[in-house]
Amino acid sequence: MTTVFVLNGPNLGRLGSREPDVYGGGTLVDLRETIDAHVSGLSGANPISIDFRQTDSETELISWLHEAVDTGSPVIINPAAFTHYSYALRDAAAQVTSAGLTLVEVHITNPHSREEFRHTSVISGVATGVVAGFGFDSYIVGLDAVARRLS
Amino acid sequence: MTTVFVLNGPNLGRLGSREPDVYGGGTLVDLRETIDAHVSGLSGANPISIDFRQTDSETELISWLHEAVDTGSPVIINPAAFTHYSYALRDAAAQVTSAGLTLVEVHITNPHSREEFRHTSVISGVATGVVAGFGFDSYIVGLDAVARRLS
Amino acid sequence: MTTVFVLNGPNLGRLGSREPDVYGGGTLVDLRETIDAHVSGLSGANPISIDFRQTDSETELISWLHEAVDTGSPVIINPAAFTHYSYALRDAAAQVTSAGLTLVEVHITNPHSREEFRHTSVISGVATGVVAGFGFDSYIVGLDAVARRLS
Amino acid sequence: MTTVFVLNGPNLGRLGSREPDVYGGGTLVDLRETIDAHVSGLSGANPISIDFRQTDSETELISWLHEAVDTGSPVIINPAAFTHYSYALRDAAAQVTSAGLTLVEVHITNPHSREEFRHTSVISGVATGVVAGFGFDSYIVGLDAVARRLS
Amino acid sequence: MTTVFVLNGPNLGRLGSREPDVYGGGTLVDLRETIDAHVSGLSGANPISIDFRQTDSETELISWLHEAVDTGSPVIINPAAFTHYSYALRDAAAQVTSAGLTLVEVHITNPHSREEFRHTSVISGVATGVVAGFGFDSYIVGLDAVARRLS
Amino acid sequence: MTTVFVLNGPNLGRLGSREPDVYGGGTLVDLRETIDAHVSGLSGANPISIDFRQTDSETELISWLHEAVDTGSPVIINPAAFTHYSYALRDAAAQVTSAGLTLVEVHITNPHSREEFRHTSVISGVATGVVAGFGFDSYIVGLDAVARRLS
Amino acid sequence: MTTVFVLNGPNLGRLGSREPDVYGGGTLVDLRETIDAHVSGLSGANPISIDFRQTDSETELISWLHEAVDTGSPVIINPAAFTHYSYALRDAAAQVTSAGLTLVEVHITNPHSREEFRHTSVISGVATGVVAGFGFDSYIVGLDAVARRLS
Amino acid sequence: MTTVFVLNGPNLGRLGSREPDVYGGGTLVDLRETIDAHVSGLSGANPISIDFRQTDSETELISWLHEAVDTGSPVIINPAAFTHYSYALRDAAAQVTSAGLTLVEVHITNPHSREEFRHTSVISGVATGVVAGFGFDSYIVGLDAVARRLS
Amino acid sequence: MTTVFVLNGPNLGRLGSREPDVYGGGTLVDLRETIDAHVSGLSGANPISIDFRQTDSETELISWLHEAVDTGSPVIINPAAFTHYSYALRDAAAQVTSAGLTLVEVHITNPHSREEFRHTSVISGVATGVVAGFGFDSYIVGLDAVARRLS
Amino acid sequence: MTTVFVLNGPNLGRLGSREPDVYGGGTLVDLRETIDAHVSGLSGANPISIDFRQTDSETELISWLHEAVDTGSPVIINPAAFTHYSYALRDAAAQVTSAGLTLVEVHITNPHSREEFRHTSVISGVATGVVAGFGFDSYIVGLDAVARRLS
Amino acid sequence: MTTVFVLNGPNLGRLGSREPDVYGGGTLVDLRETIDAHVSGLSGANPISIDFRQTDSETELISWLHEAVDTGSPVIINPAAFTHYSYALRDAAAQVTSAGLTLVEVHITNPHSREEFRHTSVISGVATGVVAGFGFDSYIVGLDAVARRLS
Amino acid sequence: MTTVFVLNGPNLGRLGSREPDVYGGGTLVDLRETIDAHVSGLSGANPISIDFRQTDSETELISWLHEAVDTGSPVIINPAAFTHYSYALRDAAAQVTSAGLTLVEVHITNPHSREEFRHTSVISGVATGVVAGFGFDSYIVGLDAVARRLS
C-alpha cells in the first residue's frame, strides 16, 4: 500500500471561515473527509492510503517533503501563499521529484484569475504536474493522477 | 447524456513523432482511445460522451468554443502554442465559462519546467481550472474534474 | 459612390449573447442595420455604401484589407482581440493607409478601462485614427470621420 | 439645450504656428469656427451649444471639469501633453463620468504613430470614449458621439 | 502657539460629492470642522492652531510649503493625485523636512488597495511620515503625531 | 473592553541595540511601556487593553492574526522585513480586515526614505491603513486610529 | 534530387505594391523566377528543385512545415509578421530541425534597423540559421547555405 | 540687440536657503547679478540683453516659452523638477527649437550623480543642448554657447 | 579563543542524498568533519573553535545571528534558498556586520551558473564578503578569511 | 578587383580548440582556406580578393572598419562577443554602410539558440544584413551576398 | 599655467567624413584649431594650455585619465560611444574628480535627440559636469567652465 | 610546480591612491608581496608559483587567459570594471574552465554593497567560483581555494 502525503500550507486551516466566497464554505475537516471517501472508493492493484496534514510553517512543510523522500511517498501539496516566494520549499519539492516520486501542486481556486502576484509559482517548475481551480476536487483529481502513475 | 468537447490545438496532430522524449510516443489516436476507454469505464447518473477534435487553426478552435456555448458542452482544451498569445482564443474561452460551462485547460507536459515563454498562459485567467504535466493523464483527470462538476 | 469596408474580427459574431453587460445586447445584425440606417440618412456629394463583414479568421481579415487596397476602399475595422498581437494584421493595415486610404480602428468598449492586455494595440500605430468606447456608435462616428475625409 | 464643454489643454492655443506639418495649419479660432458651423448644422430633439475654452493651466482645466459636473455638461477634452502624466486631471475627469456625463478624450493627431511617451494616456481609463487621428474632425465626430448619446 | 498647516491638493474641494463610496460623504468643510474640534480638545504645553487650505494648483501648494518653511510651521499634506508625479512638490516638501520641520503625508483612503498607479508616491521619500487609510481620521492621527513631536 | 493586538515581527526584539541611529535607542520594553502609558491615559466609552507580542517567526505571526480574527481583536502590526515578501502573512492579514476588524500596518522608520526593497509592501493592500515614520509614535497614533474607529 | 520548400508568410503576396521603398519593386513572381534561375544554374552531385509557396494563413504555413518533415525537405521560410508572435509556427519549425532537416529563416529587409517589435523573432531559436537584409538575395544565399549542407 | 530669456522653474526662488550644501549658498538675486556682470563684460557684433525670470508655475513657464517664440528670443531654461515629468513644458520647448531658436537646458547640479529619478529628462530631447553640474556657471557657459551661436 | 558560527540553512541537512551531481556526495556530517579537521590544523595567536549548526527554519537562523551578535562571534553562513528572498535574515545579518563582526556568505555551488533566480542574493549587500563555487572548500576558505581578519 | 575585408573579433583565433562541440573543430586557418578556395572558384565580371584578419582588440577592429571606408572595401565581420556591447564598433560599422558599402554581420553559431545575452546585437541595426548559424558557411554565403551586390 | 587635457574617444578621428549631417563637416584638426584659437584669446590670472588627443582605444583613454590625475590636469572628455558602456572608463574618470580635478563630459551632438541607447551615460555620474549639443562649441564652453573653476 | 596566473584588470594599477577609503591604502606592489609571502609559506605536495600581472587592456587580459589555457595554469582574476560588461572576457574565461582549469573571480570590495551596476557580473557564470569583500585577502583565500583543488 502506498501512502500519499496530502500537505496543506499556510492559512488553509482557516478554510470555511476564510473568504468563503473565494474558497467555498467547506472546512479542512470536510476536505479530509472528502478525500478519504474518494480514496476508500478506489479499487485496483495499488491501494492508497492518505496522510493528510496542514501547517502554517514553512519549516514543517519542508520537513514533510524530506519525510516523503525518505518514505518514498508521492505528494499532493497545496503550498498556499508559499507558492509565490518560498524557494526553500521549491528546493525541498525538487528533492521529491528528482527521487522519482510524483509531486502534484494543487490549488483550490484558479490563481490566474486572481491578483497578479498569484500568477507566479516558484514551485511549478519542479513539480510533476499542477491542478488548479476545481475547489476541493483539485485534490481529488490530483490524487487520481497520482494513482494512475502508480499503476 | 453530456457531450464533452476535447479540443486539441496546433501541432498536436503530430504527437508520437514530434519530440517523443518531450511529449511521449503515443499518437493522437492513442490519446483518443485512452480517453474513450476511460469514459466507457465511468458509471453514474451523468453519462458522458466525448467529441474529440484537433486543428492547427485558431479560427476553427474559436468556432468549436462557440459551438460548445451553443450546445452547452463542457470543454477540455489543450491550446498548445496558442496558450501563449491567442487573445482571440481567450475571448472565445471566456464565453464558455461565462455561460456557466466548465472549461479545463490541459497540457501534456508541465510548461513551467520548459522554456520561459511557456510559463505564461493568456487562457488560464478565464478557464475554470488547469491541469498540466501528467502526459495523457492530464486529459483523463481533467475529464474527471468535469464529470465531478456535472454530478 | 465609395464603398466603405466595415470589418469585424474574432468573436464579434457572438455580439448580443457574449457578455451583454460589457458589449450590450445588440447583435451583429443589429449593428449592421444601425450602420445601414445611418448611411442611408447621409446626403451629400460623396455617397457611401457599406460592405459589412465579420470573420474569426486572421487570414480572411488580412485578405479583406488587401482587397480594400485593390478597390480603393476606406476601412472601418474592429480587430477585436487581434488588436493586441496580430502583427500580420498590422502589416496589412499599413498597406491601406500607405495607399492613401483612410483606416479607422474602432472598439465598442473602451479598452483602457478593461484588462491590462487590452491597453496595447499593435494596429493603432498604422491606423489613420482610432474611435473607442461609444458602443455601436463607435462605428457610426468612425464612418462619419471617413465620410468627412472623403468630402 | 445642452451645453457641451470643449476643453483644450496646454500649447493648443499655438495651433497653426506650432509644427503645422504635424498639427495642420488651422488655428484654434479656425477649430472653434469649424465646430460652431457643425453644431449649427445639427438638428433634432436635443439642441447643443458649445462652450469652447483653452488653457495652459492644469488647475484651470481641473476647475472646468468640476464646473462640468456642477452644470451637468458633457465634455470633449483634448488634454494635450497632460494626457501622459496628469493624474490630477484624471481624478477630475473621473468625476465627470461617474456623474453619468459623457467625457470624450480627443486628439488631433494619432498619438500611437508618434513618440513612445505619447502612447500612454492616464486619462483614457476614466473617459467614456476616445477619438484620435482625424485632425479637427476628431472634435466633430467626438461631438457627434456626444450628441447621439444625448438623444 | 504653533500653527500647523493642513494642506489639501487637487480635487479635494470636491469631497462629499466625489465618489462618496470611496472617499465618504463628508465635505471639506466637515473635515475642517472635525480637525478644529479635535484641536480645540487638545491640551498641554504646546498649543496648536490650524491653518487649513485647499487648492487644485501645484504652484500654490508649492508656495504654501515655502511659507511653512519661512514661518516654521509643521505640515499635514494630502497631495492627492500630485502624490504620484509632482517632483516639484517633492522638492518643496524636502525643504520643509530639511529645515527640521515635521511634514506628514496623509491619505483618506489606502492607496495600496486601489489602482496600481496609486501605489507609488514621489513625496513619501522626503516626508517625515505617512498616514493612510483612516478616512478623515488620517488627518487627526497625523496631527497627533505632529503634536507629539512638538512636545 | 476591547483588546488590541500589538504584534511585532522579526528582529524587533533587538530594538535599542540594532542600528540605534536608524531605529532609536529605545528597547521593545520601552515601546511596550510607552504604549501602556498612552492607553492608560485614554478615557471614553470604549476602554482598550493591549496584548503586546513579538516574534521572529512568520508562523507565529500568522497564528496571532488567526487568533485576532477568532477573538475579534483589532490589530496593530509591524511586520518588519516580512512586509516585503510574506504573502502568507498577507493572506492572514486579509482575514482580519475581511472579518470587519481594523488592521493597521505600522513602521518605526519611513521605509520610503530607505533601501529600494523597503518601498514595496505586500501587506498594505489588505490593511485598513498604514502609519510610518514617527518612531514609537507610529504605534501610538496607529492605536489612536484604532480607538477612534471603535468609538 | 532534393526538393527545398521556399515558404512565404503573410502579406508577401503583396510584394511589389507593398511599400516598394522598403521591400523593393519586385513581385513574388519575380522572386520565384529569380530563385528558379539561380537553382537551374547550380550544378553538382546534389540537384535541388524548389517548391515555392505563399500564404497569409498561419495554419497553412504550419501544415507545410509538417509536410516538409514528412517528405524530408529542407526549408527556406520567410515568416513575415508571424516571426514576432507565432509560437505555433515555432513549434512546427522545431519539428523540422529536430528531424535533422535544415530550416533557414530569411528576411528581405534587416529587421534590426526597423521598428522595435521587429527586433524579436520567436522562430530564430529553433532555426538552423538566419539570413536577413539582402533583399531577394536573402533567399538566394539561404538556398546556397542549404545546398552546401546537402553536399 | 538680442534678448536672451533666462527662465527658472519651481523652487529655484529658494536658492541660498534650500539645501545650500547641494545648490550652494548663492541666492537667485546673486545668480541674476552674476549673469548680468558676465553679459556686460561681453563685447562683439551681437550684443545680448538678459530677461531673467523665475516661477513655480508650469503654466507661466509654458507661456514664457511661447513668448520667446513670438519675440524670437533664445532661451536658457532651468526646468528644475519639471525636467522629469512635464511633457507640457517639453511641447512648449519644442516650439522654440523648431522655430530655429536656441534653447539650452541648464542645471546647477549634476543630476546624474543624484537620485535615480533625476537621471531622466523629458526636455533634453527637444533642447538644442544641455549644460549641467557647474553651479551658477552652468548658466554662464550656457549663455556663452547661445552667444557663439548668435555670432 | 574565538568561536566561529558556521550556520547552514534549509535543505542543507539533506546533503549527500540531495542532487549529488550538483552538491556532491558528501553529507553534512562530512562537511562538519572537514571543517573540524581544517581548524584543528590551524595554528597561531588566535585559536578558533567552530559552532556548527543547520536548520530549515528562518526563525532559528535569525536567532542564531542574534546570538552571534551577543557573543561576539564571527559567522560563516550558507543561507541556501533563503539567500533569494529572506529580508528578515538580511536584517539579522546586518546586525552582525554593523556590530563589527565578520559575516561570510558561502555557497557550495556557483549560483551564477544555475537558475536565474539564484543569481540574486538579498544577503550579500550586508555581508562582509562572499565565497561561492568551491564545494565544501567554500567553507574552508571562508573560515580562513575569518581567521585572517581576526589576526 | 574588389577586396573584401573578412574581419574576425575576440577569441576567434582560438577556433578549433575553443568549445569544439559548439564552434566545430576547424581552426581559423581552416576557415581562411575554406574562404580562399570558395573565392578562387568564383567567376564573373567582378573578381573578388579576400583580406582575412583576426584580432582580440576592439580598437584594431574599429581601425579596420575605418580602413574599409577609406579603401572602399565591403566587409564581412564576425564581431564575436563585441556583438553584444561594443557601441564603439557599431559607430565604426555605421560609417561603412553610410559610405554605401556592404557590411555583413556573420556568426558561426545561431546566437538565438544560445544564452539570453547572445540574443541582442548592437551591430545588426547598422549592418546591411546578417547571416548566422551555418558554421563556416555563414562566411561563404555572406561572401556570396556581397558578390551578388557587387554585380 | 594649467594644462587642460582635451580627450577624444573612438571614431572621433573620423570627424568631417563621418555622417557630416550629424556631426558637421569640420575635422578633428579643425576642432583642435578652434580650441587653440579660443584659448589663445583667453586672458587672466590663470593661463591655460591645451593637450589635445584622440584615440580609439579604451585602454589609452584610461591611461590618459590616470596621467591627468598624476599631473593635476583638468579634463575635457568626449567619450563617444564608450559613454554608453565603459565602466572601466567610469572608474578612471572617478579618480579624476575624487582627486579634486574638474572633468567635463562633452558631446558634439545632443545624445537625447538620437537613438535610445545614447540616452544613457555611465560616465555622467562621476563627472563634474556635462555639456552637449553645441557642435564644436560644446568643447569651447566646457573649456570656459573649466577656466572659470580655475579662477 | 603549478604556476597560478593572478590577473588584474583596469585601474587596479592605481591601488593605494585610488579611493583609499574604498580599496584600502595598499598598492599593487603591496598586493603582490602579500601574495608572494603567502605562497612561500605554503607547503605540501603541490608547490605553487605566482605569475602576477595587471593591465588596463581588455585585449591583453583576454590574451593572458588564452595563455593560461595553453600553459594549463589556474587563474585568479580580478576583472575590475570589465566584470560588468566584457562578454569578450567572459568568452575567454569560459575557455579556461571548459579546459578543466580553475578560474576564481575575486574582488577586493563587496560589489553588492556598492552601486547597482556593480551587482551584475558577466564573468561569474563561467567562473569556477567567486570570492569578494575581504580586501587583499580575497586573493589569498582565492589562492587557497586553487591550492586545495590542486591537491
Side-chain angles (χ1 to χ4, degrees), chain J:
Chain J
M1 176 174 284
T2 302
T3 299
V4 179
F5 282 26
V6 179
L7 308 180
N8 295 281
N11 296 300
L12 288 169
R14 309 293 292 182
L15 280 175
S17 60
R18 174 192 178 201
E19 302 178 65
D21 52 326
V22 176
Y23 294 96
T27 65
L28 198 68
V29 170
D30 296 332
L31 173 57
R32 183 176 205 150
E33 290 173 357
T34 302
I35 292 172
D36 284 344
H38 180 74
V39 167
S40 67
L42 291 178
S43 62
N46 295 284
I48 283 176
S49 72
I50 298 297
D51 193 334
F52 186 96
R53 310 177 186 182
Q54 190 271 334
T55 180
D56 294 336
S57 162
E58 184 187 38
T59 310
E60 195 163 37
L61 211 43
I62 290 169
S63 74
W64 289 345
L65 292 176
H66 293 168
E67 185 183 342
V69 175
D70 293 340
T71 59
S73 304
V75 176
I76 307 282
I77 184 169
N78 181 342
F82 290 156
T83 303
H84 313 303
Y85 65 99
S86 178
Y87 288 107
L89 195 61
R90 175 194 173 100
D91 277 355
Q95 294 174 59
V96 177
T97 46
S98 62
L101 298 165
T102 299
L103 180 144
V104 183
E105 176 187 346
V106 299
H107 297 284
I108 294 173
T109 61
N110 178 351
H112 296 91
S113 55
R114 300 180 66 198
E115 303 98 318
E116 182 72 25
F117 74 83
R118 297 199 201 270
H119 299 195
T120 301
S121 166
V122 305
I123 309 296
S124 298
V126 299
T128 305
V130 179
V131 181
F134 303 109
F136 286 180
D137 279 353
S138 292
Y139 291 77
I140 298 298
V141 303
L143 254 172
D144 286 348
V146 169
R148 292 180 69 89
R149 293 174 71 92
L150 288 173
S151 60

